[in-house]
């Protein structure tokens, strides 16, 4: 339940005021868990849960799992190109920011 609480709060906050919103909703969700030196257990599950929550409130979501740096950069570029002034864009990343 502790893991779902932030997701539920996100869904509630994004859903509030939806009636007055006239733009599109886009989200880019990245979950990286397969690190060479310290793989993680939860990022892929977290990214999948966030994707489901966002889709339930009307977001069009692109989900990347275990993406490379170049794949993430390309996805961010494409994501930013589709946003207009009326749209809402949300970027979510789960995993290590970097590994040394």
């Amino acid at each position: 339940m502790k893991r779902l609480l932030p997701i539920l709060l996100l869904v509630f906050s994004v859903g509030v005021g939806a009636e007055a919103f006239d733009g599109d909703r886009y989200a880019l969700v990245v979950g990286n868990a397969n690190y060479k030196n310290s793989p993680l257990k939860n990022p892929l599950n977290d990214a999948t849960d966030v994707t489901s929550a966002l889709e339930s409130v009307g977001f069009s979501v692109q989900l990347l799992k275990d993406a490379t740096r170049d794949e993430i950069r390309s996805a961010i570029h494409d994501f930013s190109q589709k946003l207009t002034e009326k749209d809402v864009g949300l970027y979510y990343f789960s995993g290590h920011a970097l590994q040394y």
Side-chain angles (χ1 to χ4, degrees):
M1 182 63 180
K2 286 183 181 180
R3 195 172 111 201
L4 287 178
L5 184 58
I7 295 169
L8 294 174
L9 290 173
L10 173 66
V11 169
F12 176 75
S13 66
V14 171
V16 171
E19 307 80 34
F21 179 72
D22 65 350
D24 292 319
R25 297 174 183 189
Y26 298 105
L28 175 58
V29 176
V30 180
N32 279 0
N34 192 20
Y35 294 95
K36 182 178 179 183
N37 300 321
S38 300
L40 301 172
K41 290 185 200 177
N42 291 324
L44 299 181
N45 295 331
D46 293 346
T48 301
D49 290 346
V50 167
T51 295
S52 295
L54 290 171
E55 288 174 340
S56 75
V57 293
F59 274 79
S60 173
V61 182
Q62 178 184 0
L63 172 61
L64 298 177
K65 294 182 178 181
D66 289 324
T68 66
R69 179 180 179 206
D70 288 341
E71 289 170 337
I72 294 171
R73 289 181 69 155
S74 177
I76 290 171
H77 178 267
D78 295 344
F79 174 69
S80 67
Q81 294 299 305
K82 71 171 88 171
L83 295 174
T84 68
E85 289 180 12
K86 295 181 180 184
D87 297 333
V88 171
L90 185 143
Y91 175 74
Y92 177 87
F93 179 86
S94 182
H96 291 309
L98 62 100
Q99 186 169 21
Y100 175 74

PDB file of all heavy atoms in Angstrom, residues 19-50:
ATOM      1  N   GLU A  19     -12.340  18.739 -16.153  1.00  0.00           N
ATOM      2  CA  GLU A  19     -13.450  19.216 -16.978  1.00  0.00           C
ATOM      3  C   GLU A  19     -13.102  20.516 -17.704  1.00  0.00           C
ATOM      4  O   GLU A  19     -13.576  20.769 -18.794  1.00  0.00           O
ATOM      5  CB  GLU A  19     -14.703  19.456 -16.117  1.00  0.00           C
ATOM      6  CG  GLU A  19     -15.117  18.296 -15.259  1.00  0.00           C
ATOM      7  CD  GLU A  19     -14.300  18.169 -13.975  1.00  0.00           C
ATOM      8  OE1 GLU A  19     -13.885  19.194 -13.382  1.00  0.00           O
ATOM      9  OE2 GLU A  19     -14.051  17.035 -13.564  1.00  0.00           O
ATOM     10  N   ALA A  20     -12.294  21.363 -17.086  1.00  0.00           N
ATOM     11  CA  ALA A  20     -11.961  22.668 -17.663  1.00  0.00           C
ATOM     12  C   ALA A  20     -10.749  22.602 -18.586  1.00  0.00           C
ATOM     13  O   ALA A  20     -10.372  23.593 -19.184  1.00  0.00           O
ATOM     14  CB  ALA A  20     -11.699  23.669 -16.543  1.00  0.00           C
ATOM     15  N   PHE A  21     -10.157  21.469 -18.724  1.00  0.00           N
ATOM     16  CA  PHE A  21      -8.925  21.308 -19.500  1.00  0.00           C
ATOM     17  C   PHE A  21      -9.254  21.007 -20.955  1.00  0.00           C
ATOM     18  O   PHE A  21     -10.056  20.128 -21.241  1.00  0.00           O
ATOM     19  CB  PHE A  21      -8.112  20.164 -18.878  1.00  0.00           C
ATOM     20  CG  PHE A  21      -6.840  19.886 -19.605  1.00  0.00           C
ATOM     21  CD1 PHE A  21      -5.780  20.761 -19.524  1.00  0.00           C
ATOM     22  CD2 PHE A  21      -6.712  18.755 -20.371  1.00  0.00           C
ATOM     23  CE1 PHE A  21      -4.606  20.505 -20.195  1.00  0.00           C
ATOM     24  CE2 PHE A  21      -5.544  18.486 -21.044  1.00  0.00           C
ATOM     25  CZ  PHE A  21      -4.484  19.367 -20.944  1.00  0.00           C
ATOM     26  N   ASP A  22      -8.638  21.754 -21.891  1.00  0.00           N
ATOM     27  CA  ASP A  22      -8.950  21.525 -23.302  1.00  0.00           C
ATOM     28  C   ASP A  22      -7.761  21.071 -24.137  1.00  0.00           C
ATOM     29  O   ASP A  22      -7.859  20.961 -25.340  1.00  0.00           O
ATOM     30  CB  ASP A  22      -9.596  22.764 -23.918  1.00  0.00           C
ATOM     31  CG  ASP A  22      -8.663  23.958 -23.956  1.00  0.00           C
ATOM     32  OD1 ASP A  22      -7.582  23.894 -23.331  1.00  0.00           O
ATOM     33  OD2 ASP A  22      -9.003  24.964 -24.599  1.00  0.00           O
ATOM     34  N   GLY A  23      -6.634  20.793 -23.523  1.00  0.00           N
ATOM     35  CA  GLY A  23      -5.470  20.313 -24.263  1.00  0.00           C
ATOM     36  C   GLY A  23      -5.340  18.804 -24.159  1.00  0.00           C
ATOM     37  O   GLY A  23      -6.182  18.117 -23.589  1.00  0.00           O
ATOM     38  N   ASP A  24      -4.269  18.292 -24.739  1.00  0.00           N
ATOM     39  CA  ASP A  24      -3.975  16.865 -24.649  1.00  0.00           C
ATOM     40  C   ASP A  24      -3.043  16.610 -23.472  1.00  0.00           C
ATOM     41  O   ASP A  24      -2.358  17.516 -23.003  1.00  0.00           O
ATOM     42  CB  ASP A  24      -3.318  16.376 -25.941  1.00  0.00           C
ATOM     43  CG  ASP A  24      -4.278  16.398 -27.115  1.00  0.00           C
ATOM     44  OD1 ASP A  24      -5.453  16.027 -26.924  1.00  0.00           O
ATOM     45  OD2 ASP A  24      -3.856  16.792 -28.217  1.00  0.00           O
ATOM     46  N   ARG A  25      -3.004  15.378 -23.036  1.00  0.00           N
ATOM     47  CA  ARG A  25      -2.143  14.977 -21.921  1.00  0.00           C
ATOM     48  C   ARG A  25      -1.173  13.916 -22.416  1.00  0.00           C
ATOM     49  O   ARG A  25      -1.590  12.861 -22.898  1.00  0.00           O
ATOM     50  CB  ARG A  25      -2.974  14.399 -20.786  1.00  0.00           C
ATOM     51  CG  ARG A  25      -3.926  15.381 -20.187  1.00  0.00           C
ATOM     52  CD  ARG A  25      -4.801  14.694 -19.180  1.00  0.00           C
ATOM     53  NE  ARG A  25      -5.771  15.639 -18.639  1.00  0.00           N
ATOM     54  CZ  ARG A  25      -6.549  15.383 -17.631  1.00  0.00           C
ATOM     55  NH1 ARG A  25      -6.509  14.219 -17.041  1.00  0.00           N
ATOM     56  NH2 ARG A  25      -7.391  16.287 -17.208  1.00  0.00           N
ATOM     57  N   TYR A  26       0.101  14.222 -22.282  1.00  0.00           N
ATOM     58  CA  TYR A  26       1.143  13.293 -22.709  1.00  0.00           C
ATOM     59  C   TYR A  26       2.065  12.991 -21.541  1.00  0.00           C
ATOM     60  O   TYR A  26       2.368  13.871 -20.736  1.00  0.00           O
ATOM     61  CB  TYR A  26       1.977  13.896 -23.843  1.00  0.00           C
ATOM     62  CG  TYR A  26       1.197  14.200 -25.089  1.00  0.00           C
ATOM     63  CD1 TYR A  26       0.871  15.505 -25.414  1.00  0.00           C
ATOM     64  CD2 TYR A  26       0.796  13.185 -25.945  1.00  0.00           C
ATOM     65  CE1 TYR A  26       0.158  15.798 -26.568  1.00  0.00           C
ATOM     66  CE2 TYR A  26       0.075  13.467 -27.096  1.00  0.00           C
ATOM     67  CZ  TYR A  26      -0.228  14.774 -27.404  1.00  0.00           C
ATOM     68  OH  TYR A  26      -0.936  15.046 -28.543  1.00  0.00           O
ATOM     69  N   ALA A  27       2.532  11.770 -21.485  1.00  0.00           N
ATOM     70  CA  ALA A  27       3.491  11.388 -20.453  1.00  0.00           C
ATOM     71  C   ALA A  27       4.561  10.492 -21.056  1.00  0.00           C
ATOM     72  O   ALA A  27       4.275   9.667 -21.932  1.00  0.00           O
ATOM     73  CB  ALA A  27       2.802  10.675 -19.301  1.00  0.00           C
ATOM     74  N   LEU A  28       5.764  10.699 -20.596  1.00  0.00           N
ATOM     75  CA  LEU A  28       6.884   9.825 -20.927  1.00  0.00           C
ATOM     76  C   LEU A  28       7.324   9.196 -19.613  1.00  0.00           C
ATOM     77  O   LEU A  28       7.706   9.896 -18.677  1.00  0.00           O
ATOM     78  CB  LEU A  28       8.029  10.613 -21.554  1.00  0.00           C
ATOM     79  CG  LEU A  28       9.315   9.844 -21.831  1.00  0.00           C
ATOM     80  CD1 LEU A  28       9.077   8.664 -22.756  1.00  0.00           C
ATOM     81  CD2 LEU A  28      10.365  10.786 -22.420  1.00  0.00           C
ATOM     82  N   VAL A  29       7.222   7.881 -19.530  1.00  0.00           N
ATOM     83  CA  VAL A  29       7.546   7.146 -18.314  1.00  0.00           C
ATOM     84  C   VAL A  29       8.709   6.208 -18.616  1.00  0.00           C
ATOM     85  O   VAL A  29       8.657   5.434 -19.572  1.00  0.00           O
ATOM     86  CB  VAL A  29       6.323   6.346 -17.812  1.00  0.00           C
ATOM     87  CG1 VAL A  29       6.678   5.505 -16.592  1.00  0.00           C
ATOM     88  CG2 VAL A  29       5.162   7.290 -17.503  1.00  0.00           C
ATOM     89  N   VAL A  30       9.764   6.300 -17.799  1.00  0.00           N
ATOM     90  CA  VAL A  30      10.945   5.467 -17.986  1.00  0.00           C
ATOM     91  C   VAL A  30      11.200   4.682 -16.707  1.00  0.00           C
ATOM     92  O   VAL A  30      11.224   5.253 -15.610  1.00  0.00           O
ATOM     93  CB  VAL A  30      12.193   6.324 -18.309  1.00  0.00           C
ATOM     94  CG1 VAL A  30      13.425   5.441 -18.492  1.00  0.00           C
ATOM     95  CG2 VAL A  30      11.955   7.188 -19.539  1.00  0.00           C
ATOM     96  N   GLY A  31      11.391   3.383 -16.851  1.00  0.00           N
ATOM     97  CA  GLY A  31      11.762   2.526 -15.733  1.00  0.00           C
ATOM     98  C   GLY A  31      13.023   1.766 -16.087  1.00  0.00           C
ATOM     99  O   GLY A  31      13.012   0.959 -17.003  1.00  0.00           O
ATOM    100  N   ASN A  32      14.101   2.059 -15.383  1.00  0.00           N
ATOM    101  CA  ASN A  32      15.378   1.374 -15.628  1.00  0.00           C
ATOM    102  C   ASN A  32      15.776   0.590 -14.388  1.00  0.00           C
ATOM    103  O   ASN A  32      15.928   1.164 -13.306  1.00  0.00           O
ATOM    104  CB  ASN A  32      16.479   2.374 -15.986  1.00  0.00           C
ATOM    105  CG  ASN A  32      16.436   2.786 -17.439  1.00  0.00           C
ATOM    106  OD1 ASN A  32      15.586   2.338 -18.199  1.00  0.00           O
ATOM    107  ND2 ASN A  32      17.346   3.645 -17.839  1.00  0.00           N
ATOM    108  N   ALA A  33      15.941  -0.707 -14.546  1.00  0.00           N
ATOM    109  CA  ALA A  33      16.278  -1.574 -13.417  1.00  0.00           C
ATOM    110  C   ALA A  33      17.507  -2.437 -13.686  1.00  0.00           C
ATOM    111  O   ALA A  33      18.178  -2.873 -12.763  1.00  0.00           O
ATOM    112  CB  ALA A  33      15.103  -2.495 -13.101  1.00  0.00           C
ATOM    113  N   ASN A  34      17.835  -2.678 -14.937  1.00  0.00           N
ATOM    114  CA  ASN A  34      18.876  -3.628 -15.309  1.00  0.00           C
ATOM    115  C   ASN A  34      20.248  -2.954 -15.368  1.00  0.00           C
ATOM    116  O   ASN A  34      20.831  -2.795 -16.426  1.00  0.00           O
ATOM    117  CB  ASN A  34      18.528  -4.275 -16.652  1.00  0.00           C
ATOM    118  CG  ASN A  34      19.410  -5.457 -16.958  1.00  0.00           C
ATOM    119  OD1 ASN A  34      20.012  -6.030 -16.067  1.00  0.00           O
ATOM    120  ND2 ASN A  34      19.496  -5.818 -18.221  1.00  0.00           N
ATOM    121  N   TYR A  35      20.753  -2.571 -14.197  1.00  0.00           N
ATOM    122  CA  TYR A  35      22.071  -1.952 -14.112  1.00  0.00           C
ATOM    123  C   TYR A  35      23.127  -3.028 -13.899  1.00  0.00           C
ATOM    124  O   TYR A  35      22.888  -4.003 -13.176  1.00  0.00           O
ATOM    125  CB  TYR A  35      22.113  -0.942 -12.963  1.00  0.00           C
ATOM    126  CG  TYR A  35      21.220   0.239 -13.192  1.00  0.00           C
ATOM    127  CD1 TYR A  35      19.928   0.267 -12.683  1.00  0.00           C
ATOM    128  CD2 TYR A  35      21.663   1.325 -13.936  1.00  0.00           C
ATOM    129  CE1 TYR A  35      19.100   1.349 -12.908  1.00  0.00           C
ATOM    130  CE2 TYR A  35      20.836   2.413 -14.154  1.00  0.00           C
ATOM    131  CZ  TYR A  35      19.564   2.417 -13.636  1.00  0.00           C
ATOM    132  OH  TYR A  35      18.751   3.489 -13.861  1.00  0.00           O
ATOM    133  N   LYS A  36      24.281  -2.814 -14.493  1.00  0.00           N
ATOM    134  CA  LYS A  36      25.361  -3.801 -14.425  1.00  0.00           C
ATOM    135  C   LYS A  36      25.792  -4.066 -12.984  1.00  0.00           C
ATOM    136  O   LYS A  36      25.945  -5.197 -12.576  1.00  0.00           O
ATOM    137  CB  LYS A  36      26.550  -3.310 -15.258  1.00  0.00           C
ATOM    138  CG  LYS A  36      27.703  -4.276 -15.308  1.00  0.00           C
ATOM    139  CD  LYS A  36      28.820  -3.747 -16.179  1.00  0.00           C
ATOM    140  CE  LYS A  36      29.986  -4.694 -16.203  1.00  0.00           C
ATOM    141  NZ  LYS A  36      31.099  -4.165 -16.996  1.00  0.00           N
ATOM    142  N   ASN A  37      26.005  -2.996 -12.223  1.00  0.00           N
ATOM    143  CA  ASN A  37      26.486  -3.137 -10.837  1.00  0.00           C
ATOM    144  C   ASN A  37      25.399  -2.781  -9.846  1.00  0.00           C
ATOM    145  O   ASN A  37      25.537  -1.906  -9.160  1.00  0.00           O
ATOM    146  CB  ASN A  37      27.655  -2.182 -10.570  1.00  0.00           C
ATOM    147  CG  ASN A  37      28.834  -2.434 -11.461  1.00  0.00           C
ATOM    148  OD1 ASN A  37      29.153  -3.564 -11.730  1.00  0.00           O
ATOM    149  ND2 ASN A  37      29.471  -1.387 -11.930  1.00  0.00           N
ATOM    150  N   SER A  38      24.426  -3.378  -9.618  1.00  0.00           N
ATOM    151  CA  SER A  38      23.350  -3.089  -8.668  1.00  0.00           C
ATOM    152  C   SER A  38      22.014  -3.008  -9.379  1.00  0.00           C
ATOM    153  O   SER A  38      21.372  -1.967  -9.391  1.00  0.00           O
ATOM    154  CB  SER A  38      23.558  -1.773  -7.918  1.00  0.00           C
ATOM    155  OG  SER A  38      24.733  -1.767  -7.176  1.00  0.00           O
ATOM    156  N   PRO A  39      21.579  -4.082  -9.967  1.00  0.00           N
ATOM    157  CA  PRO A  39      20.245  -4.063 -10.562  1.00  0.00           C
ATOM    158  C   PRO A  39      19.197  -3.785  -9.486  1.00  0.00           C
ATOM    159  O   PRO A  39      19.398  -4.101  -8.316  1.00  0.00           O
ATOM    160  CB  PRO A  39      20.083  -5.455 -11.149  1.00  0.00           C
ATOM    161  CG  PRO A  39      21.233  -6.262 -10.692  1.00  0.00           C
ATOM    162  CD  PRO A  39      22.240  -5.362 -10.083  1.00  0.00           C
ATOM    163  N   LEU A  40      18.123  -3.173  -9.884  1.00  0.00           N
ATOM    164  CA  LEU A  40      17.064  -2.792  -8.954  1.00  0.00           C
ATOM    165  C   LEU A  40      15.832  -3.673  -9.158  1.00  0.00           C
ATOM    166  O   LEU A  40      15.587  -4.170 -10.255  1.00  0.00           O
ATOM    167  CB  LEU A  40      16.690  -1.320  -9.175  1.00  0.00           C
ATOM    168  CG  LEU A  40      17.837  -0.327  -8.984  1.00  0.00           C
ATOM    169  CD1 LEU A  40      17.408   1.065  -9.416  1.00  0.00           C
ATOM    170  CD2 LEU A  40      18.290  -0.324  -7.544  1.00  0.00           C
ATOM    171  N   LYS A  41      15.024  -3.813  -8.106  1.00  0.00           N
ATOM    172  CA  LYS A  41      13.825  -4.653  -8.179  1.00  0.00           C
ATOM    173  C   LYS A  41      12.596  -3.896  -8.666  1.00  0.00           C
ATOM    174  O   LYS A  41      11.796  -4.435  -9.414  1.00  0.00           O
ATOM    175  CB  LYS A  41      13.495  -5.228  -6.800  1.00  0.00           C
ATOM    176  CG  LYS A  41      14.433  -6.256  -6.294  1.00  0.00           C
ATOM    177  CD  LYS A  41      13.893  -6.789  -4.980  1.00  0.00           C
ATOM    178  CE  LYS A  41      14.951  -7.447  -4.153  1.00  0.00           C
ATOM    179  NZ  LYS A  41      14.445  -7.890  -2.857  1.00  0.00           N
ATOM    180  N   ASN A  42      12.395  -2.676  -8.212  1.00  0.00           N
ATOM    181  CA  ASN A  42      11.099  -2.024  -8.366  1.00  0.00           C
ATOM    182  C   ASN A  42      10.884  -1.078  -9.537  1.00  0.00           C
ATOM    183  O   ASN A  42       9.732  -0.803  -9.864  1.00  0.00           O
ATOM    184  CB  ASN A  42      10.748  -1.274  -7.074  1.00  0.00           C
ATOM    185  CG  ASN A  42      10.451  -2.231  -5.952  1.00  0.00           C
ATOM    186  OD1 ASN A  42       9.885  -3.290  -6.160  1.00  0.00           O
ATOM    187  ND2 ASN A  42      10.865  -1.869  -4.759  1.00  0.00           N
ATOM    188  N   PRO A  43      11.886  -0.518 -10.177  1.00  0.00           N
ATOM    189  CA  PRO A  43      11.608   0.504 -11.185  1.00  0.00           C
ATOM    190  C   PRO A  43      10.660   0.089 -12.306  1.00  0.00           C
ATOM    191  O   PRO A  43       9.833   0.894 -12.735  1.00  0.00           O
ATOM    192  CB  PRO A  43      12.983   0.866 -11.732  1.00  0.00           C
ATOM    193  CG  PRO A  43      13.893   0.627 -10.580  1.00  0.00           C
ATOM    194  CD  PRO A  43      13.330  -0.603  -9.910  1.00  0.00           C
ATOM    195  N   LEU A  44      10.752  -1.127 -12.772  1.00  0.00           N
ATOM    196  CA  LEU A  44       9.859  -1.533 -13.860  1.00  0.00           C
ATOM    197  C   LEU A  44       8.420  -1.648 -13.372  1.00  0.00           C
ATOM    198  O   LEU A  44       7.488  -1.246 -14.072  1.00  0.00           O
ATOM    199  CB  LEU A  44      10.334  -2.849 -14.490  1.00  0.00           C
ATOM    200  CG  LEU A  44      11.730  -2.813 -15.112  1.00  0.00           C
ATOM    201  CD1 LEU A  44      12.080  -4.172 -15.717  1.00  0.00           C
ATOM    202  CD2 LEU A  44      11.845  -1.725 -16.150  1.00  0.00           C
ATOM    203  N   ASN A  45       8.246  -2.157 -12.155  1.00  0.00           N
ATOM    204  CA  ASN A  45       6.899  -2.222 -11.576  1.00  0.00           C
ATOM    205  C   ASN A  45       6.352  -0.817 -11.334  1.00  0.00           C
ATOM    206  O   ASN A  45       5.180  -0.544 -11.615  1.00  0.00           O
ATOM    207  CB  ASN A  45       6.913  -2.995 -10.258  1.00  0.00           C
ATOM    208  CG  ASN A  45       7.274  -4.449 -10.442  1.00  0.00           C
ATOM    209  OD1 ASN A  45       7.018  -5.030 -11.485  1.00  0.00           O
ATOM    210  ND2 ASN A  45       7.883  -5.037  -9.440  1.00  0.00           N
ATOM    211  N   ASP A  46       7.192   0.066 -10.806  1.00  0.00           N
ATOM    212  CA  ASP A  46       6.758   1.444 -10.557  1.00  0.00           C
ATOM    213  C   ASP A  46       6.348   2.128 -11.854  1.00  0.00           C
ATOM    214  O   ASP A  46       5.313   2.788 -11.922  1.00  0.00           O
ATOM    215  CB  ASP A  46       7.873   2.255  -9.892  1.00  0.00           C
ATOM    216  CG  ASP A  46       8.189   1.785  -8.482  1.00  0.00           C
ATOM    217  OD1 ASP A  46       7.392   1.008  -7.911  1.00  0.00           O
ATOM    218  OD2 ASP A  46       9.251   2.177  -7.961  1.00  0.00           O
ATOM    219  N   ALA A  47       7.164   1.973 -12.887  1.00  0.00           N
ATOM    220  CA  ALA A  47       6.869   2.611 -14.171  1.00  0.00           C
ATOM    221  C   ALA A  47       5.569   2.067 -14.769  1.00  0.00           C
ATOM    222  O   ALA A  47       4.762   2.825 -15.319  1.00  0.00           O
ATOM    223  CB  ALA A  47       8.035   2.405 -15.138  1.00  0.00           C
ATOM    224  N   THR A  48       5.355   0.771 -14.628  1.00  0.00           N
ATOM    225  CA  THR A  48       4.119   0.171 -15.132  1.00  0.00           C
ATOM    226  C   THR A  48       2.908   0.674 -14.352  1.00  0.00           C
ATOM    227  O   THR A  48       1.870   1.000 -14.938  1.00  0.00           O
ATOM    228  CB  THR A  48       4.208  -1.366 -15.051  1.00  0.00           C
ATOM    229  OG1 THR A  48       5.326  -1.797 -15.841  1.00  0.00           O
ATOM    230  CG2 THR A  48       2.955  -2.021 -15.582  1.00  0.00           C
ATOM    231  N   ASP A  49       3.031   0.781 -13.029  1.00  0.00           N
ATOM    232  CA  ASP A  49       1.935   1.284 -12.198  1.00  0.00           C
ATOM    233  C   ASP A  49       1.615   2.741 -12.510  1.00  0.00           C
ATOM    234  O   ASP A  49       0.444   3.127 -12.610  1.00  0.00           O
ATOM    235  CB  ASP A  49       2.263   1.139 -10.711  1.00  0.00           C
ATOM    236  CG  ASP A  49       2.276  -0.310 -10.240  1.00  0.00           C
ATOM    237  OD1 ASP A  49       1.773  -1.190 -10.975  1.00  0.00           O
ATOM    238  OD2 ASP A  49       2.809  -0.552  -9.137  1.00  0.00           O
ATOM    239  N   VAL A  50       2.648   3.560 -12.671  1.00  0.00           N
ATOM    240  CA  VAL A  50       2.438   4.975 -12.999  1.00  0.00           C
ATOM    241  C   VAL A  50       1.788   5.090 -14.374  1.00  0.00           C
ATOM    242  O   VAL A  50       0.888   5.908 -14.576  1.00  0.00           O
ATOM    243  CB  VAL A  50       3.768   5.759 -12.923  1.00  0.00           C
ATOM    244  CG1 VAL A  50       3.642   7.135 -13.552  1.00  0.00           C
ATOM    245  CG2 VAL A  50       4.214   5.883 -11.473  1.00  0.00           C
TER     246      VAL A  50
END
